[in-house]
């Protein structure tokens, strides 16, 4: 009876039936499992699986019902949410389907399937609204009858022409969130790519009204309004490439409208009437649209305009202290986003006078806030400095050295108020970020931090003081001889950080500071070795990394633990010279040697680091900076070093997570991520490692490694990965050619390095079935075919095998190439004969297939082949007894003789 009522067994049987396409049997098994299952989580999975079955059977009501039961148990069950979305869409309930896929996209913001479904459903909903509006407007104007299906642009134009924008404003004025959302999304659709309508919407609705909508405390409405602003901005700034004739002429100059939008957004960021979400989106819009996208463009007038009219407003946001009264509404990310904007604005400056003006404005703002009689103003000034230090650090570093700043920090550290101490210690932490600049703070700040750490009983202050000490203690990096503190001190600090990290009773913000401390302490090899042995601390850090504000700190810690930072090559002769001249010589810690690094990588993998990295990669770009992406790519590459670990990385979603890192970020980060992808693609089944359409996205990163600036290992593993991909299907082979990989692969076939040359030839062997490749071999005036024939004569068995395979396929596809072989080198016959008597059955078979193709290609060539020693070879092989190991070669030889007999070149055997 126990077996019959086992829900796990029924579920597994249901899974097997589902995979086999036996949907009715799968439903039956899942239904039995549901009846006998008591565990809520397991039951949710079974309902989710049965929902997939009902989707296949097109029983959409039941699919919705089952998916809903799974979601009741886990509201973040992404598979159940997406299945319910699919079923709801089929039932015509687009609004409900949109909400489900919107939730999916929130959980996985970079999932292309979710984003595409979100875009499509949004468009469908907008079109539905359009049709309703069109019908309503037609009733009002009573001048024509509507068709049932109205195309998007025509519908938008009809609404626009029939006084639709004012009516949409009336919808917004109802104050009902669903009405506001519908109206805002419709306006977005109307102005997308259409400068004339965008201009009219801005003038009719009003920029101030749109800002007031984006100021509300409703994240969904805020995001929709931010999207409308972006659509308008794109249309006005040149995103519309179409020609609208007369109406285009009316709006040739959009500069005033663009300037008004920038001014309105700058007003928003410092307004108390704006919600935290609204402020975040205003800052994001400025970050996206103000700095130059291409530094070759010399026009940075938008950046200069923003600095003149809004730099002090951005600094005001950085200086907010949430614990004080009368502060601006903020989210957890607001001040970090403001720091990112400051950094991008500073990077946008083109010359020293512009940078000096930026720095002087910041200096003037901070000085204006210092007041000996008002401590709140003082901590606002110091918190502003913290914000600058997290953005354009060089500016912050200069300001931190100004007279009175360090003294103010000392005064705040000695204050009775907790908030004063918190702000001061956080400023000290941010000021000691770059080790090359830390000497000022080592001499001035260590004593201060030690006193705070020892004397305070407040855990929040204690942990921040400890992080400051951690940063200063790591100023020597991984140089064993440059330790700032006494032997064992850093280990004690790290132990305390791990203790706080694992303490669930502490608030999340305080525990996050523990990760910040470890990010610096793990420069010490003893600390990182102890940390990776503490699985509870690792898992606690991975769990905290879901809070996107500490991605950088987690990434730093993992880079340190895997030693995946750039290392200077130590040349023994230079070390001796440095010692002789009494110069400092960096020393490697014994635990930073290869075997210790490998052991740490294994421990991280066991603790689930790949899954944590996969979650981190999905963060929004405003938080996941290019520098953080580079560090994550470095960690992935270190994890993929051992071929045995690559299966684990794939199983935990590492292949999918690497793709965005290889396509976006710093040049160095993209190379590291591409190399990690190449390592995985070289040894894994690409269809499992990169499921569905993702497999086509892998091609470009791999091709980027086929470059003379990349090292030999990167070239070699990229070629192996491309070989693996090219073996799968024509679509992938065409994708490889579209990415212009063919000339590079051909070049590597001339490479002196045996392994690279072999990998390139194997890759070519998998590509020659493409017509484009065959045409290149048919072209006159190149040595491509000659090289392939000569490679068949090499001693390397693997190289021969690949070259012979390519030759066999080319001559089968193009008879002209079979004839051309005889003209490229005088050694062709000797090489072909050697292939036909090769000890390796596979190479022998490929050689004999080539001979068959040559016999079939040209009568004169066939005659020449039969009149030489090749006939004896064919006869000998054909007469061999059947042998499973050599059967392909024997059959090919017999086919050659049959072909020769058919053309009358030889007579049949007498027996």
């Amino acid at each position: 009876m126990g077996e019959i009522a086992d829900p796990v067994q029924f579920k597994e049987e249901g899974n097997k039936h589902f995979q086999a396409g036996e949907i009715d049997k799968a439903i039956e098994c899942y239904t039995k499992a549901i009846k006998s299952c008591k565990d809520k989580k397991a039951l949710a999975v079974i309902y989710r699986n049965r929902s997939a079955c009902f989707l296949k059977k097109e029983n959409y009501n039941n699919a919705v019902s089952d998916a809903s039961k799974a979601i009741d148990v886990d509201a973040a069950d992404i598979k159940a949410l997406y299945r319910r979305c699919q079923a709801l869409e089929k039932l015509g309930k687009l609004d409900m389907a949109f909400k489900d896929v919107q939730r999916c996209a929130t959980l996985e913001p970079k999932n292309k399937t979710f984003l595409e479904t979100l875009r499509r459903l949004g468009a469908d909903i907008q079109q539905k609204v359009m049709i309703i509006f069109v019908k309503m407007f037609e009733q009002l104007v009573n001048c024509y009858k509507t068709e049932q299906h109205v195309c998007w642009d025509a519908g938008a134009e009809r609404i626009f022409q029939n006084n639709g924008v004012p009516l949409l404003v009336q919808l917004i004025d109802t104050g009902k969130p669903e009405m506001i959302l519908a109206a805002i999304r419709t306006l977005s659709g109307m102005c997308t790519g259409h400068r004339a309508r965008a201009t009219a919407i801005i003038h009719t609705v009003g920029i101030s009204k749109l800002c007031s909508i984006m100021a509300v405390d409703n994240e969904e409405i805020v995001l929709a309004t931010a999207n409308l602003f972006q659509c308008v901005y794109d249309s006005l700034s040149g995103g519309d490439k179409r020609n609208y004739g007369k109406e285009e002429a009316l709006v040739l100059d959009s500069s005033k409208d663009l300037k008004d939008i920038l001014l309105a957004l700058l007003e928003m960021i410092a307004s108390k009437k704006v919600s935290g979400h609204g402020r975040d989106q205003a800052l994001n819009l400025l970050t996206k649209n103000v700095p130059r996208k291409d530094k070759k463009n010399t026009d940075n007038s938008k950046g200069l305009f923003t600095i003149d009219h809004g730099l002090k407003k951005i600094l005001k946001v950085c200086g907010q202290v949430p614990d004080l009264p009368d502060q601006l509404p903020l989210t957890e990310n607001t001040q970090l986003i403001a720091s990112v904007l400051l950094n991008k604005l500073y990077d946008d400056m083109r010359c020293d006078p512009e940078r000096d003006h930026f720095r002087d404005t910041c200096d003037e703002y901070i000085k204006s806030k210092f007041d000996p009689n008002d401590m709140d103003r003082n901590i606002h000034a110091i918190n502003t400095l913290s914000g600058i230090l997290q953005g354009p650090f060089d500016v912050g570093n200069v300001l931190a050295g100004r007279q009175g700043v360090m003294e103010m920090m000392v005064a705040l550290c000695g204050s009775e108020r907790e908030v004063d101490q918190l702000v001061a210690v956080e400023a000290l932490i941010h000021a000691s970020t770059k080790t090359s600049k830390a000497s000022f703070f080592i001499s001035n700040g260590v004593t201060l931090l030690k006193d705070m750490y020892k004397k305070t009983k407040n855990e929040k202050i204690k942990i921040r003081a400890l992080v400051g000490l951690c940063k200063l203690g790591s100023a020597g990096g991984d140089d064993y001889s440059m330790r700032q503190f006494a032997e064992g001190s850093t280990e004690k600090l790290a132990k305390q950080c791990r203790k706080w990290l694992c303490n669930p009773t502490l608030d999340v913000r305080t525990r996050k500071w523990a990760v910040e401390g470890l990010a610096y302490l793990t420069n010490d090899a003893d600390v990182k070795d102890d940390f990776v042995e503490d699985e509870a601390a690792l898992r606690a850090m991975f769990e905290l990394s879901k809070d996107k504000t500490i991605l950088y700190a987690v990434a730093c810690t993992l880079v340190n633990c895997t030693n995946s930072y750039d290392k200077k090559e130590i040349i023994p002769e230079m070390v001796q010279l440095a010692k002789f001249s009494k110069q400092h010589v960096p020393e490697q810690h014994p635990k930073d040697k290869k075997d210790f690094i490998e052991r740490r990588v294994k421990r991280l993998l066991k603790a689930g680091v790949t899954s944590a990295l996969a979650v981190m990669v999905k963060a929004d770009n405003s938080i996941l900076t290019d520098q953080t992406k580079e560090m994550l790519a470095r960690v992935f590459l270190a994890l993929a070093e051992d071929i045995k670990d690559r299966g684990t990385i794939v199983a935990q979603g590492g292949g999918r997570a690497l793709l965005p890192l290889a396509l976006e970020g710093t040049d160095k980060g993209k190379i590291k991520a591409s190399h990690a992808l190449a390592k995985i693609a070289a040894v894994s089944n690409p269809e499992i490692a990169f499921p569905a359409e993702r497999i086509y996205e892998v091609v470009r990163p791999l091709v980027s490694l086929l470059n003379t600036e990349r090292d030999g290992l990167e070239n070699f593993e990229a070629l192996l990965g491309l070989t693996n991909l090219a073996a799968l299907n024509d679509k992938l082979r065409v994708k490889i050619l579209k990415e212009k990989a063919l000339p590079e692969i051909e070049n590597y076939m001339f490479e002196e390095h045996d392994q690279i040359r072999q990998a390139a030839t194997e890759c070519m062997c998998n590509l020659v079935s493409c017509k484009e490749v065959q045409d290149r071999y048919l072209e006159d005036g190149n040595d491509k075919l000659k090289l392939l024939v000569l490679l068949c004569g090499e001693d390397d068995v693997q190289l021969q095998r690949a070259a012979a395979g390519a030759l066999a396929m080319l001559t089968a596809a193009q008879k002209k190439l079979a004839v051309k072989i005889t003209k490229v080198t005088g050694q062709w016959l000797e090489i072909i004969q050697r292939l036909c008597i090769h000890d390796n059955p596979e190479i022998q078979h490929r050689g004999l297939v080539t001979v068959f193709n040559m016999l079939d290609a040209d009568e004169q060539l066939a005659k020449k082949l039969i009149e030489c020693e090749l006939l004896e070879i064919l006869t000998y092989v054909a007469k061999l007894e059947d042998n499973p190991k050599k059967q392909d070669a024997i059959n090919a030889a017999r086919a050659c003789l049959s072909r020769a007999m058919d053309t009358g070149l030889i007579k049949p055997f007498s027996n």
Side-chain angles (χ1 to χ4, degrees):
M1 289 295 289
E3 284 186 11
I4 295 171
D6 182 12
V8 176
Q9 187 179 340
F10 281 133
K11 189 188 95 170
E12 288 174 356
E13 284 179 14
N15 292 348
K16 287 176 185 175
H17 287 308
F18 182 85
Q19 287 165 3
E22 298 163 355
I23 306 302
D24 289 327
K25 290 181 181 178
I27 291 173
E28 189 178 336
C29 289
Y30 289 140
T31 305
K32 288 177 182 176
I34 287 166
K35 288 176 181 176
S36 57
C37 186
K38 305 297 180 190
D39 182 276
K40 271 190 177 182
K41 287 188 177 179
L43 192 61
V45 173
I46 300 166
Y47 272 122
R48 186 177 73 197
N49 291 357
R50 195 171 71 170
S51 174
C53 294
F54 285 132
L55 266 176
K56 290 275 186 186
K57 296 288 289 181
E58 298 183 358
N59 187 339
Y60 300 121
N61 284 314
N62 282 352
V64 170
S65 175
D66 276 4
S68 298
K69 287 170 185 171
I71 293 162
D72 288 342
V73 176
D74 180 6
D77 188 333
I78 205 157
K79 288 184 179 178
L81 281 164
Y82 191 62
R83 281 169 193 165
R84 188 169 72 176
C85 160
Q86 290 174 297
L88 287 166
E89 184 183 0
K90 293 291 184 183
L91 292 169
K93 299 177 180 180
L94 300 185
D95 285 347
M96 295 169 72
F98 186 89
K99 285 181 182 177
D100 279 347
V101 76
Q102 195 170 44
R103 178 69 177 143
C104 292
T106 304
L107 294 167
E108 284 190 23
K110 292 191 177 180
N111 186 304
K112 289 191 175 180
T113 303
F114 298 157
L115 293 174
E116 175 56 28
T117 308
L118 192 65
R119 185 201 63 73
R120 180 169 50 74
L121 284 177
D124 289 347
I125 291 167
Q126 286 180 355
Q127 189 160 347
K128 202 173 177 182
V129 171
M130 285 286 191
I131 292 167
I132 294 167
F133 274 108
V134 169
K135 287 179 179 177
M136 182 174 70
F137 296 144
E138 284 175 344
Q139 287 173 3
L140 288 172
V141 296
N142 195 26
C143 47
Y144 46 76
K145 293 180 180 179
T146 189
E147 295 174 4
Q148 197 166 1
H149 301 287
V150 181
C151 78
W152 172 252
D153 200 54
E157 189 60 27
R158 284 188 179 183
I159 290 178
F160 182 71
Q161 295 295 340
N162 289 286
N163 207 33
V165 177
L167 285 167
L168 286 168
V169 173
Q170 287 179 29
L171 272 187
I172 292 168
D173 290 341
T174 63
K176 295 178 180 177
E178 64 276 11
M179 293 289 193
I180 295 171
L181 269 174
I184 293 294
R185 286 172 180 157
T186 306
L187 288 168
S188 297
M190 287 173 68
C191 70
T192 299
H194 198 300
R195 200 195 299 190
R197 288 203 293 258
T199 305
I201 286 168
I202 282 295
H203 291 171
T204 306
V205 180
I207 295 171
S208 59
K209 188 175 188 71
L210 289 177
C211 288
S212 67
I213 298 166
M214 198 164 84
V216 301
D217 195 14
N218 180 317
E219 192 173 5
E220 201 173 8
I221 291 174
V222 168
L223 287 169
T225 314
N227 181 57
L228 172 56
F229 263 123
Q230 190 61 55
C231 291
V232 168
Y233 201 92
D234 287 344
S235 297
L236 297 183
S237 60
D240 179 10
K241 303 296 181 187
R242 292 169 289 182
N243 181 18
Y244 291 99
K246 291 180 181 178
E247 54 186 326
E248 181 78 11
L250 298 174
V251 287
L252 278 174
D253 187 10
S254 302
S255 56
K256 185 180 183 304
D257 289 330
L258 290 169
K259 193 176 286 187
D260 288 345
I261 291 171
L262 285 183
L263 285 170
L265 292 173
L266 290 170
E267 283 300 317
M268 278 190 76
I269 61 175
S271 169
K272 287 184 181 177
K273 296 177 181 177
V274 177
S275 68
H277 293 303
R279 203 174 319 280
D280 285 0
Q281 291 309 314
L283 289 164
N284 279 332
L285 284 166
L286 290 166
T287 303
K288 186 174 180 180
N289 296 297
V290 171
R292 290 168 292 158
K293 291 179 175 62
D294 183 0
K295 290 292 188 287
K296 291 178 184 176
N297 176 12
T298 57
D299 181 14
N300 66 337
S301 55
K302 282 190 290 184
L304 296 174
F305 178 83
T306 303
I307 288 166
D308 288 341
H309 294 84
L311 181 54
K312 290 184 179 179
K313 294 181 174 74
I314 302 167
L315 294 173
K316 180 179 178 179
V317 174
C318 289
Q320 296 301 294
V321 183
D323 295 334
L324 292 181
D326 202 30
Q327 300 293 293
L328 299 175
L330 307 173
T331 69
E332 282 192 351
N333 298 331
T334 306
Q335 286 169 300
L336 183 57
I337 296 170
S339 294
V340 170
L341 174 56
L342 286 175
N343 195 44
K344 286 191 175 289
L345 287 172
Y346 187 70
D347 282 347
D348 199 48
M349 301 295 97
R350 291 180 55 236
C351 57
D352 286 343
E354 290 177 1
R355 285 184 275 272
D356 291 343
H357 174 60
F358 184 101
R359 187 175 56 248
D360 291 345
T361 304
C362 295
D363 192 15
E364 181 189 323
Y365 181 84
I366 290 172
K367 280 180 183 174
S368 71
K369 297 298 174 186
F370 282 141
D371 185 341
N373 302 316
D374 190 340
M375 199 58 86
D376 286 359
R377 286 175 63 83
N378 291 329
I379 63 171
H380 178 88
I382 297 300
N383 214 35
T384 304
L385 178 61
S386 281
I388 299 170
L389 287 163
Q390 290 176 82
F393 180 84
D394 291 339
V395 175
N397 191 53
V398 170
L399 301 181
R402 292 278 196 257
Q403 185 178 358
V405 174
M406 193 67 196
E407 290 79 359
M408 181 55 66
M409 289 188 189
V410 172
L412 291 173
C413 288
S415 168
E416 295 294 322
R417 289 199 310 177
E418 176 189 298
V419 66
D420 296 343
Q421 295 177 50
L422 285 173
V423 168
V425 76
E426 286 183 18
L428 280 170
I429 291 166
H430 295 310
S432 56
T433 292
K434 293 193 179 179
T435 55
S436 59
K437 313 283 186 182
S439 55
F440 172 78
F441 291 97
I442 289 171
S443 56
N444 292 277
V446 172
T447 308
L448 202 59
L449 291 168
K450 279 184 178 176
D451 286 346
M452 291 181 76
Y453 180 69
K454 288 175 183 174
K455 292 175 183 176
T456 186
K457 292 180 181 178
N458 185 317
E459 291 279 276
K460 291 181 182 178
I461 295 167
K462 202 176 188 72
I463 195 168
R464 286 163 173 76
L466 180 103
V467 172
L469 291 170
C470 292
K471 276 193 171 186
L472 297 171
S474 66
D478 66 347
D479 185 350
Y480 188 44
S481 63
M482 288 282 286
R483 289 186 165 197
Q484 301 295 330
F485 296 151
E487 186 78 32
S489 295
T490 49
E491 288 95 311
K492 286 178 185 175
L493 291 173
K495 190 174 180 181
Q496 184 60 58
C497 280
R498 298 205 315 269
K499 183 179 174 184
W500 274 319
L501 181 60
C502 296
N503 185 352
T505 61
L506 288 174
D507 64 282
V508 173
R509 195 175 172 192
T510 302
R511 291 170 69 206
K512 277 158 50 178
W513 277 104
V515 181
E516 291 276 356
L518 287 166
Y520 290 90
L521 287 177
T522 45
N523 275 305
D524 186 292
D526 286 316
V527 170
K528 53 185 145 186
D529 227 47
D530 291 342
F531 182 46
V532 297
E533 293 298 323
D534 188 344
E535 194 165 320
L538 283 175
R539 291 187 183 279
M541 182 178 77
F542 295 156
E543 188 61 31
L544 277 176
S545 69
K546 292 175 183 175
D547 183 316
K548 310 304 183 190
T549 56
I550 58 160
L551 289 181
Y552 187 81
V554 174
C556 279
T557 306
L558 293 173
V559 164
N560 290 338
C561 289
T562 55
N563 284 51
S564 49
Y565 41 76
D566 287 329
K567 300 176 243 343
K568 288 183 180 177
E569 186 181 355
I570 298 175
I571 303 167
E573 292 82 0
M574 294 301 293
V575 171
Q576 292 302 319
L577 187 63
K579 285 181 178 177
F580 180 76
S581 58
K582 296 183 180 178
Q583 296 294 314
H584 170 68
V585 180
E587 291 180 26
Q588 185 185 41
H589 194 290
K591 288 184 179 178
D592 273 331
K593 291 181 178 173
K594 189 176 179 182
D595 53 337
F596 280 94
I597 297 169
E598 288 173 355
R599 202 176 308 149
R600 288 199 289 271
V601 166
K602 303 286 183 194
R603 295 290 302 177
L604 287 168
L605 285 166
K606 186 184 174 187
V609 67
T610 310
S611 300
L613 288 169
V615 172
M616 292 165 72
V617 169
K618 292 172 185 171
D620 186 79
N621 277 342
S622 61
I623 302 297
L624 186 66
T625 62
D626 287 350
Q627 288 72 25
T628 308
K629 288 177 190 173
E630 180 184 322
M631 288 194 287
L632 296 180
R634 287 174 179 276
V635 176
F636 265 122
L637 183 57
L639 297 176
E641 191 63 36
D642 188 341
I643 195 170
K644 295 173 188 172
D645 295 327
R646 294 174 199 172
T648 305
I649 294 169
V650 168
Q652 295 179 359
R656 294 190 297 274
L658 272 165
L659 282 169
L661 297 178
L663 297 169
E664 300 170 2
T666 65
D667 290 339
K668 192 172 282 188
K670 288 189 284 189
I671 291 164
K672 299 285 184 188
S674 297
H675 193 188
L677 278 173
K679 285 180 178 292
I680 291 169
V683 298
S684 308
N685 180 342
E687 291 174 306
I688 294 173
F690 315 105
E693 294 300 307
R694 288 190 184 94
I695 196 167
Y696 299 100
E697 295 175 37
V698 181
V699 175
R700 183 174 295 174
L702 298 193
V703 173
S704 73
L705 296 177
L706 303 183
N707 187 311
T708 51
E709 293 181 6
R710 307 281 75 82
D711 64 42
L713 184 60
E714 289 168 345
N715 299 155
F716 174 65
E717 290 183 317
L719 286 165
L720 290 184
L722 288 169
T723 302
N724 227 350
L725 292 171
L728 291 175
N729 58 55
D730 281 334
K731 194 175 174 184
L732 272 167
R733 287 189 279 272
V734 169
K735 175 70 175 170
I736 291 169
L737 298 180
K738 278 187 177 177
E739 293 295 338
K740 300 180 181 175
L742 191 57
E744 302 298 337
I745 296 166
E746 289 170 345
N747 289 339
Y748 285 115
M749 288 173 69
F750 288 93
E751 177 67 46
E752 290 182 12
H753 192 288
D754 291 343
Q755 286 179 298
I756 293 177
R757 185 171 51 168
Q758 176 198 319
T761 308
E762 286 178 348
C763 191
M764 184 61 72
C765 180
N766 286 349
L767 289 172
V768 291
S769 60
C770 291
K771 181 73 167 54
E772 185 182 330
V773 180
Q774 295 164 16
D775 290 343
R776 285 175 74 93
Y777 276 91
L778 282 167
E779 289 171 4
D780 293 326
N782 65 64
D783 290 332
K784 293 179 176 62
L785 190 61
K786 180 180 178 179
L787 174 66
L788 207 56
V789 174
L790 293 174
L791 291 176
C792 289
E794 291 286 325
D795 294 330
D796 186 314
V797 173
Q798 293 299 323
L799 181 59
Q800 270 188 302
R801 176 181 166 277
L807 203 60
M809 292 173 71
L810 281 170
T811 52
Q814 299 286 346
K815 290 185 178 183
K816 288 181 182 178
L817 287 174
V819 178
K820 191 177 178 182
I821 286 175
T822 63
K823 300 172 184 175
V824 293
T825 172
Q827 303 171 46
W828 70 271
L829 187 56
E830 180 189 343
I831 290 169
I832 296 292
Q833 288 175 345
R834 283 180 60 193
L835 290 178
C836 293
I837 58 172
H838 205 286
D839 294 337
N840 184 303
E842 201 172 354
I843 294 173
Q844 184 182 30
H845 172 240
R846 295 177 180 202
L848 289 163
V849 169
T850 304
V851 170
F852 177 85
N853 296 334
M854 294 173 82
L855 288 169
D856 193 44
D858 181 80
E859 191 176 327
Q860 291 300 316
L861 175 57
K863 189 176 179 183
K864 187 175 182 179
L865 290 172
I866 293 301
E867 287 173 353
C868 70
E869 293 175 2
L870 196 58
L871 179 58
E872 292 179 37
I873 296 170
L874 294 174
T875 306
Y876 170 75
V877 177
K879 284 184 175 181
L880 291 173
E881 291 183 9
D882 287 355
N883 180 339
K885 291 183 179 178
K886 292 192 170 186
Q887 199 59 48
D888 287 339
I890 294 167
N891 290 343
R894 290 172 182 171
C896 289
L897 292 175
S898 294
R899 180 65 187 156
M901 282 188 281
D902 291 343
T903 54
L905 293 172
I906 60 171
K907 293 178 181 179
F909 292 122
S910 58
N911 60 68

